[in-house]
Amino acid sequence: MREVMDVIDKDENYVYLRTTRTQECESCAMKGGCTLLGGSNELNLKAKNTEKVDVKKGDKVVVEMPEVPVVKLSFLAYGIPLIVFLSIISILYTLSFSDIFSFLAGILGMGITYFLIHQYDRKKLKDRYLPVILQKLEKKIDLKLNEKGEI
């Protein structure tokens, strides 16, 4: 999916973008509810500049949004730590450890699992699901003519 976004900042490897989520907000039943709760319909994100498009602050760019495997990433973030937590509790409880010790060991195991997933994410998935800048949109000059046809 391609979207047009505004450049708000840039560094050597990434370009920081802002867009207004109009399509998502139009189909939502809560339309203006986000702003009442302190949210916004603006989305800030960073993108890879693999094409080395020359952009600067204030430019509009066309961005290719990646297809994200939501189920896989959700299982990685929520399913695996939950399985570790329940496994540790079950094993320690069947080995006749106390309930509190089993629970605390399960929490510790889940925390270690989250740390390992965080490390995996930083090393392997770092840039895999970031949007990619395809091109810079040229600014059009809007000239208005007066009644005589002059600028």
Side-chain angles (χ1 to χ4, degrees), residues 91-113:
I91 291 169
L92 292 179
Y93 188 73
T94 56
L95 293 175
S96 300
F97 284 93
S98 70
D99 293 344
I100 294 188
F101 180 76
S102 300
F103 175 74
L104 293 176
I107 293 289
L108 179 65
M110 188 172 63
I112 292 170
T113 304

Side-chain angles (χ1 to χ4, degrees), residues 21-145:
R21 299 180 291 185
T22 54
Q23 286 182 331
E24 293 86 0
C25 293
E26 285 177 4
S27 62
C28 180
M30 294 287 294
K31 283 192 183 176
C34 294
T35 55
L36 292 175
L37 298 173
S40 171
N41 66 342
E42 288 186 347
L43 176 66
N44 295 337
L45 50 96
K46 71 179 180 179
K48 292 186 280 188
N49 193 2
T50 56
E51 303 293 325
K52 299 298 180 196
V53 179
D54 185 32
V55 295
K56 60 184 183 295
K57 189 175 180 177
D59 287 342
K60 289 195 179 291
V61 292
V62 176
V63 177
E64 179 73 33
M65 301 298 285
E67 293 294 324
V68 179
V70 176
V71 175
K72 288 181 184 178
L73 293 178
S74 296
F75 180 74
L76 182 68
Y78 302 113
I80 292 175
L82 180 63
I83 290 170
V84 168
F85 174 73
L86 294 174
S87 299
I88 290 173
I89 287 178
S90 300
I91 291 169
L92 292 179
Y93 188 73
T94 56
L95 293 175
S96 300
F97 284 93
S98 70
D99 293 344
I100 294 188
F101 180 76
S102 300
F103 175 74
L104 293 176
I107 293 289
L108 179 65
M110 188 172 63
I112 292 170
T113 304
Y114 273 122
F115 176 75
L116 294 174
I117 290 171
H118 173 70
Q119 293 300 318
Y120 175 75
D121 180 46
R122 285 181 61 205
K123 296 217 173 17
K124 300 286 184 184
L125 302 178
K126 181 180 179 186
D127 291 342
R128 181 178 283 178
Y129 299 114
L130 287 181
V132 177
I133 296 176
L134 298 177
Q135 69 182 25
K136 175 181 168 181
L137 293 178
E138 299 299 324
K139 293 183 181 179
K140 293 182 181 178
I141 300 173
D142 187 23
L143 300 176
K144 295 188 179 188
L145 301 176

